[in-house]
Amino acid sequence: MLRSTILAAARNRRIQHLVTTAPVSRGVVHRFVGGSDTDDAVRTTRELVEDGLCVTLDHLGEDTTDRAHAESVTSAYRRLLDALHAAALTERMSTLTARAEVSVKLSAIGQALGADGEKIALDHAREICAAAEHLGATVTLDMEDHTTTDSTLRILTELRADFPATAAVLQAALRRTEGDCRDLATEGSRVRLCKGAYLEPESVAYQKRQDVDLAYVRCTNILMRGRGYPMLATHDPRLIAIGIDRAAYHAKAPGKDFELQMLYGIRPHEQRRLAEKGHTVRVYVPYGAEWYGYLMRRLAERPANLAFFGRALTTKG
């Protein structure tokens, strides 16, 4: 009930206005969003890389219904990649691009633009992938609600023909995902496994937290058995421990054959601890002005995150 209420609020314009204009919201944004512009994103990336972490950057915004907006989002990713490269050269910090990638929501670059949406999104994604490859970075295609899954996987297949390092995201909450894991657990295939942050009908998705967790473990086993590169996105200590155990069982080496992923601002000390133990830990860093929908989905994904956000409102830094 709480999850559905939060997701409903995510699309309520009146609530959005109240939250985004409230002075107290600045504390939440500072803690869980990597900044409002490209310079902020580069600064945050630099800080995380210096702490031994990897980064994936998400330019906030989705559900684009205007082609010009889709083109502006694509340009924003180009500017981000160029800025990371420039900073790496200026500061002689080659790891800045080598340890960074971008996460792209296809809905933000045109996927929802009618009959031509898939082609528009593919063309824009190609542009971003080419820019990333030129600079030694990579791209992950974020997964959104279940109505876009087939389209996203088709675009992924097209992109991988020229940019094989392009990563997929699969959501354990969807009933179909075990099959998708089998299809994608191939040589060189990078797959981020998350629980899923969208409100989906019971016909396509598990509804109970325990069922989602069990599905996550089953999907983890499939990916670890495969020849791809699993990327386990979770903050749940139990699932992290299971993932590390399954990796060891299938002879996947820490820091080489798989990685762990967490959100910016959540369990930062654990992120550094795992990195110090030799694991590749990638931090998902959202940046940009359109932060409201992102934070609401994080709350819905795990309502216990309310505690994290609440503390951000009452503590400094």
Side-chain angles (χ1 to χ4, degrees):
M1 178 63 72
L2 179 58
R3 182 170 186 267
S4 59
T5 300
I6 293 170
L7 285 171
R11 294 187 176 276
N12 186 301
R13 294 295 183 184
R14 183 171 179 272
I15 295 175
Q16 177 178 350
H17 177 75
L18 289 172
V19 173
T20 57
T21 57
V24 73
S25 297
R26 285 195 293 270
V28 175
V29 176
H30 177 73
R31 186 68 64 88
F32 300 103
V33 177
S36 61
D37 57 24
T38 298
D39 289 342
D40 289 336
V42 172
R43 172 188 50 77
T44 300
T45 300
R46 182 191 302 110
E47 292 170 355
L48 293 169
V49 169
E50 288 175 345
D51 280 346
L53 300 162
C54 295
V55 177
T56 185
L57 291 150
D58 172 22
H59 180 76
L60 292 173
E62 56 192 275
D63 296 333
T64 296
T65 57
D66 177 84
R67 186 160 187 163
H69 186 207
E71 291 171 355
S72 73
V73 173
T74 304
S75 296
Y77 276 108
R78 293 288 303 272
R79 288 195 301 274
L80 172 64
L81 289 163
D82 288 343
L84 286 170
H85 182 59
L89 293 176
T90 301
E91 301 168 26
R92 297 182 180 179
M93 190 176 178
S94 60
T95 53
L96 204 57
T97 50
R99 303 189 72 171
E101 69 166 31
V102 295
S103 287
V104 179
K105 286 182 173 59
L106 293 175
S107 67
I109 57 172
Q111 190 180 35
L113 297 180
D116 294 329
E118 190 168 315
K119 182 181 184 304
I120 293 169
L122 173 59
D123 290 343
H124 286 150
R126 282 189 191 279
E127 186 178 337
I128 296 168
C129 286
E133 184 179 69
H134 179 69
L135 303 178
T138 51
V139 176
T140 291
L141 299 184
D142 277 342
M143 191 63 75
E144 301 177 70
D145 72 81
H146 80 279
T147 64
T148 66
T149 302
D150 286 329
S151 172
T152 298
L153 293 178
R154 284 194 298 268
I155 291 173
L156 174 74
T157 299
E158 293 283 343
L159 289 172
R160 281 185 169 180
D162 296 315
F163 308 102
T166 306
V169 176
L170 296 176
Q171 300 174 99
L174 295 182
R175 298 178 187 275
R176 62 173 288 169
T177 296
E178 288 177 62
D180 291 331
C181 284
R182 294 187 185 93
D183 292 341
L184 290 173
T186 56
E187 184 72 38
S189 175
R190 299 169 63 240
V191 179
R192 178 198 297 160
L193 178 66
C194 64
K195 289 186 179 182
Y198 293 86
L199 184 61
E200 305 281 17
E202 187 173 3
S203 58
V204 301
Y206 301 108
Q207 303 297 303
K208 297 180 180 179
R209 179 179 175 182
Q210 181 180 14
D211 291 336
V212 175
D213 287 354
L214 290 171
Y216 194 99
V217 172
R218 293 194 298 271
C219 290
T220 295
N221 276 316
I222 293 168
L223 293 175
M224 290 298 179
R225 281 199 303 268
R227 302 186 67 184
Y229 181 80
M231 304 185 292
L232 304 183
T234 179
H235 307 97
D236 189 325
R238 299 168 305 153
L239 296 181
I240 292 171
I242 289 170
I244 292 172
D245 176 77
R246 293 293 81 200
Y249 181 83
H250 292 289
K252 288 189 179 291
K256 179 183 177 183
D257 298 326
F258 72 99
E259 68 183 50
L260 306 171
Q261 297 192 357
M262 296 189 192
L263 299 174
Y264 181 66
I266 297 182
R267 304 191 73 202
H269 297 298
E270 180 66 2
Q271 293 170 12
R272 290 192 290 272
R273 186 190 72 82
L274 289 166
E276 289 168 359
K277 289 177 67 69
H279 292 286
T280 299
V281 179
R282 190 176 303 275
V283 182
Y284 187 99
V285 179
Y287 78 99
E290 298 182 41
W291 52 265
Y292 175 76
Y294 165 80
L295 287 181
M296 295 300 282
R297 284 194 302 278
R298 298 290 74 78
L299 287 174
E301 185 176 26
R302 186 169 181 265
N305 284 343
L306 280 166
F308 288 103
F309 295 152
R311 283 195 294 271
L313 295 175
T314 57
T315 61
K316 294 182 179 181

Short mmCIF file of all heavy atoms in Angstrom, two decimals, residues 1-34:
data_model
loop_
_atom_site.label_atom_id
_atom_site.label_comp_id
_atom_site.label_asym_id
_atom_site.label_seq_id
_atom_site.Cartn_x
_atom_site.Cartn_y
_atom_site.Cartn_z
N MET A 1 0.83 -1.20 0.00
CA MET A 1 0.00 0.00 0.00
C MET A 1 0.87 1.26 0.00
O MET A 1 0.65 2.19 -0.77
CB MET A 1 -0.92 0.00 1.22
CG MET A 1 -1.78 1.25 1.33
SD MET A 1 -2.92 1.46 -0.05
CE MET A 1 -4.09 0.17 0.36
N LEU A 2 1.90 1.29 0.87
CA LEU A 2 2.78 2.45 0.93
C LEU A 2 3.51 2.65 -0.40
O LEU A 2 3.64 3.77 -0.90
CB LEU A 2 3.79 2.29 2.07
CG LEU A 2 4.80 3.43 2.24
CD1 LEU A 2 4.09 4.76 2.46
CD2 LEU A 2 5.74 3.11 3.39
N ARG A 3 3.95 1.54 -1.00
CA ARG A 3 4.67 1.63 -2.27
C ARG A 3 3.81 2.24 -3.36
O ARG A 3 4.23 3.12 -4.10
CB ARG A 3 5.16 0.23 -2.68
CG ARG A 3 5.98 0.21 -3.96
CD ARG A 3 6.61 -1.17 -4.15
NE ARG A 3 7.49 -1.17 -5.28
CZ ARG A 3 7.13 -1.52 -6.52
NH1 ARG A 3 5.88 -1.90 -6.74
NH2 ARG A 3 7.99 -1.50 -7.51
N SER A 4 2.56 1.77 -3.47
CA SER A 4 1.68 2.29 -4.51
C SER A 4 1.34 3.76 -4.26
O SER A 4 1.20 4.55 -5.20
CB SER A 4 0.40 1.46 -4.59
OG SER A 4 -0.30 1.47 -3.36
N THR A 5 1.23 4.15 -2.99
CA THR A 5 0.95 5.54 -2.66
C THR A 5 2.10 6.45 -3.08
O THR A 5 1.91 7.53 -3.64
CB THR A 5 0.71 5.69 -1.14
OG1 THR A 5 -0.41 4.89 -0.77
CG2 THR A 5 0.43 7.15 -0.78
N ILE A 6 3.33 5.99 -2.83
CA ILE A 6 4.51 6.78 -3.20
C ILE A 6 4.61 6.92 -4.72
O ILE A 6 4.87 8.01 -5.25
CB ILE A 6 5.80 6.12 -2.65
CG1 ILE A 6 5.81 6.18 -1.12
CG2 ILE A 6 7.04 6.82 -3.20
CD1 ILE A 6 6.90 5.36 -0.47
N LEU A 7 4.36 5.82 -5.44
CA LEU A 7 4.44 5.88 -6.89
C LEU A 7 3.35 6.77 -7.48
O LEU A 7 3.56 7.45 -8.48
CB LEU A 7 4.36 4.47 -7.47
CG LEU A 7 5.64 3.65 -7.30
CD1 LEU A 7 5.41 2.20 -7.69
CD2 LEU A 7 6.79 4.23 -8.12
N ALA A 8 2.18 6.77 -6.86
CA ALA A 8 1.12 7.66 -7.31
C ALA A 8 1.54 9.11 -7.10
O ALA A 8 1.31 9.98 -7.96
CB ALA A 8 -0.18 7.36 -6.57
N ALA A 9 2.19 9.39 -5.99
CA ALA A 9 2.66 10.75 -5.71
C ALA A 9 3.72 11.18 -6.71
O ALA A 9 3.85 12.37 -7.02
CB ALA A 9 3.21 10.82 -4.29
N ALA A 10 4.48 10.21 -7.24
CA ALA A 10 5.53 10.53 -8.20
C ALA A 10 4.98 11.17 -9.46
O ALA A 10 5.68 11.93 -10.14
CB ALA A 10 6.32 9.26 -8.55
N ARG A 11 3.72 10.89 -9.78
CA ARG A 11 3.11 11.43 -11.00
C ARG A 11 2.08 12.51 -10.72
O ARG A 11 1.38 12.95 -11.63
CB ARG A 11 2.49 10.29 -11.82
CG ARG A 11 3.52 9.31 -12.35
CD ARG A 11 2.92 8.30 -13.29
NE ARG A 11 3.93 7.43 -13.87
CZ ARG A 11 4.66 7.73 -14.94
NH1 ARG A 11 4.48 8.88 -15.55
NH2 ARG A 11 5.55 6.89 -15.41
N ASN A 12 2.01 12.94 -9.47
CA ASN A 12 1.06 13.98 -9.10
C ASN A 12 1.77 15.34 -9.17
O ASN A 12 2.68 15.63 -8.40
CB ASN A 12 0.55 13.73 -7.68
CG ASN A 12 -0.54 14.70 -7.27
OD1 ASN A 12 -0.35 15.90 -7.25
ND2 ASN A 12 -1.71 14.15 -6.95
N ARG A 13 1.34 16.18 -10.12
CA ARG A 13 2.02 17.46 -10.37
C ARG A 13 1.93 18.39 -9.17
O ARG A 13 2.88 19.14 -8.87
CB ARG A 13 1.41 18.14 -11.59
CG ARG A 13 1.64 17.39 -12.90
CD ARG A 13 3.11 17.34 -13.24
NE ARG A 13 3.36 16.70 -14.51
CZ ARG A 13 4.57 16.45 -15.02
NH1 ARG A 13 5.62 16.81 -14.32
NH2 ARG A 13 4.71 15.86 -16.19
N ARG A 14 0.80 18.37 -8.46
CA ARG A 14 0.64 19.26 -7.30
C ARG A 14 1.62 18.88 -6.19
O ARG A 14 2.29 19.75 -5.61
CB ARG A 14 -0.79 19.20 -6.79
CG ARG A 14 -1.08 20.16 -5.64
CD ARG A 14 -2.57 20.22 -5.34
NE ARG A 14 -2.84 21.10 -4.22
CZ ARG A 14 -2.82 20.72 -2.96
NH1 ARG A 14 -2.56 19.46 -2.66
NH2 ARG A 14 -3.08 21.59 -1.98
N ILE A 15 1.71 17.57 -5.91
CA ILE A 15 2.65 17.12 -4.88
C ILE A 15 4.08 17.41 -5.32
O ILE A 15 4.93 17.83 -4.52
CB ILE A 15 2.46 15.62 -4.59
CG1 ILE A 15 1.07 15.38 -3.99
CG2 ILE A 15 3.54 15.11 -3.64
CD1 ILE A 15 0.73 13.91 -3.78
N GLN A 16 4.35 17.19 -6.60
CA GLN A 16 5.69 17.47 -7.11
C GLN A 16 6.07 18.93 -6.88
O GLN A 16 7.19 19.24 -6.44
CB GLN A 16 5.76 17.15 -8.60
CG GLN A 16 7.13 17.48 -9.22
CD GLN A 16 7.20 17.11 -10.69
OE1 GLN A 16 6.32 16.45 -11.21
NE2 GLN A 16 8.25 17.53 -11.35
N HIS A 17 5.15 19.83 -7.17
CA HIS A 17 5.45 21.26 -6.97
C HIS A 17 5.72 21.57 -5.50
O HIS A 17 6.67 22.29 -5.17
CB HIS A 17 4.27 22.10 -7.47
CG HIS A 17 4.45 23.58 -7.23
ND1 HIS A 17 5.31 24.35 -7.98
CD2 HIS A 17 3.89 24.41 -6.29
CE1 HIS A 17 5.28 25.60 -7.53
NE2 HIS A 17 4.43 25.66 -6.51
N LEU A 18 4.91 21.00 -4.61
CA LEU A 18 5.08 21.25 -3.18
C LEU A 18 6.44 20.76 -2.69
O LEU A 18 7.13 21.44 -1.93
CB LEU A 18 3.96 20.57 -2.39
CG LEU A 18 2.56 21.18 -2.52
CD1 LEU A 18 1.53 20.29 -1.84
CD2 LEU A 18 2.52 22.59 -1.94
N VAL A 19 6.83 19.56 -3.16
CA VAL A 19 8.08 18.97 -2.69
C VAL A 19 9.29 19.70 -3.28
O VAL A 19 10.25 20.03 -2.58
CB VAL A 19 8.13 17.47 -3.04
CG1 VAL A 19 9.51 16.89 -2.72
CG2 VAL A 19 7.04 16.72 -2.27
N THR A 20 9.25 19.94 -4.60
CA THR A 20 10.43 20.51 -5.26
C THR A 20 10.68 21.97 -4.89
O THR A 20 11.80 22.46 -5.03
CB THR A 20 10.31 20.38 -6.79
OG1 THR A 20 9.11 21.02 -7.22
CG2 THR A 20 10.31 18.93 -7.22
N THR A 21 9.65 22.67 -4.43
CA THR A 21 9.84 24.07 -4.05
C THR A 21 10.06 24.26 -2.55
O THR A 21 10.33 25.37 -2.10
CB THR A 21 8.62 24.92 -4.47
OG1 THR A 21 7.43 24.37 -3.88
CG2 THR A 21 8.48 24.93 -5.99
N ALA A 22 9.97 23.20 -1.78
CA ALA A 22 10.16 23.30 -0.33
C ALA A 22 11.64 23.46 0.00
O ALA A 22 12.47 22.66 -0.47
CB ALA A 22 9.60 22.06 0.37
N PRO A 23 12.02 24.47 0.78
CA PRO A 23 13.44 24.65 1.13
C PRO A 23 14.07 23.42 1.77
O PRO A 23 15.25 23.13 1.55
CB PRO A 23 13.39 25.83 2.12
CG PRO A 23 12.16 26.57 1.76
CD PRO A 23 11.16 25.52 1.35
N VAL A 24 13.27 22.67 2.54
CA VAL A 24 13.82 21.50 3.23
C VAL A 24 14.28 20.43 2.24
O VAL A 24 15.11 19.58 2.56
CB VAL A 24 12.77 20.93 4.21
CG1 VAL A 24 11.65 20.21 3.46
CG2 VAL A 24 13.42 20.01 5.24
N SER A 25 13.77 20.45 0.99
CA SER A 25 14.14 19.44 0.00
C SER A 25 15.59 19.54 -0.42
O SER A 25 16.16 18.58 -0.95
CB SER A 25 13.24 19.56 -1.24
OG SER A 25 11.90 19.29 -0.91
N ARG A 26 16.21 20.70 -0.22
CA ARG A 26 17.60 20.87 -0.64
C ARG A 26 18.52 19.86 0.04
O ARG A 26 19.50 19.40 -0.54
CB ARG A 26 18.06 22.29 -0.36
CG ARG A 26 17.50 23.33 -1.33
CD ARG A 26 18.26 24.64 -1.24
NE ARG A 26 18.03 25.29 0.05
CZ ARG A 26 17.06 26.16 0.28
NH1 ARG A 26 16.22 26.49 -0.68
NH2 ARG A 26 16.92 26.72 1.47
N GLY A 27 18.20 19.52 1.31
CA GLY A 27 19.03 18.54 2.01
C GLY A 27 18.97 17.18 1.38
O GLY A 27 19.98 16.47 1.27
N VAL A 28 17.78 16.77 0.93
CA VAL A 28 17.62 15.48 0.27
C VAL A 28 18.38 15.46 -1.04
O VAL A 28 19.11 14.51 -1.35
CB VAL A 28 16.12 15.20 0.02
CG1 VAL A 28 15.95 13.91 -0.79
CG2 VAL A 28 15.38 15.08 1.35
N VAL A 29 18.22 16.51 -1.82
CA VAL A 29 18.88 16.56 -3.13
C VAL A 29 20.39 16.51 -2.97
O VAL A 29 21.09 15.78 -3.68
CB VAL A 29 18.46 17.84 -3.89
CG1 VAL A 29 19.21 17.94 -5.20
CG2 VAL A 29 16.95 17.82 -4.14
N HIS A 30 20.91 17.27 -2.02
CA HIS A 30 22.36 17.29 -1.79
C HIS A 30 22.88 15.91 -1.43
O HIS A 30 23.98 15.52 -1.85
CB HIS A 30 22.70 18.29 -0.68
CG HIS A 30 24.15 18.33 -0.32
ND1 HIS A 30 25.11 18.89 -1.13
CD2 HIS A 30 24.81 17.85 0.77
CE1 HIS A 30 26.30 18.77 -0.56
NE2 HIS A 30 26.14 18.14 0.59
N ARG A 31 22.12 15.16 -0.68
CA ARG A 31 22.59 13.85 -0.19
C ARG A 31 22.47 12.76 -1.25
O ARG A 31 23.33 11.87 -1.31
CB ARG A 31 21.78 13.46 1.05
CG ARG A 31 22.26 12.18 1.74
CD ARG A 31 23.62 12.38 2.40
NE ARG A 31 23.55 13.37 3.45
CZ ARG A 31 23.24 13.10 4.72
NH1 ARG A 31 22.95 11.86 5.07
NH2 ARG A 31 23.21 14.05 5.62
N PHE A 32 21.44 12.82 -2.09
CA PHE A 32 21.15 11.68 -2.96
C PHE A 32 21.24 11.97 -4.46
O PHE A 32 21.04 11.07 -5.27
CB PHE A 32 19.77 11.12 -2.64
CG PHE A 32 19.65 10.64 -1.22
CD1 PHE A 32 18.99 11.41 -0.27
CD2 PHE A 32 20.23 9.44 -0.82
CE1 PHE A 32 18.90 10.98 1.05
CE2 PHE A 32 20.14 9.02 0.50
CZ PHE A 32 19.48 9.78 1.43
N VAL A 33 21.51 13.21 -4.82
CA VAL A 33 21.66 13.60 -6.22
C VAL A 33 23.03 14.23 -6.39
O VAL A 33 23.46 15.03 -5.56
CB VAL A 33 20.55 14.56 -6.66
CG1 VAL A 33 20.75 15.02 -8.11
CG2 VAL A 33 19.18 13.89 -6.52
N GLY A 34 23.73 13.86 -7.46
CA GLY A 34 25.11 14.29 -7.65
C GLY A 34 25.29 15.71 -8.13
O GLY A 34 26.40 16.09 -8.52
#
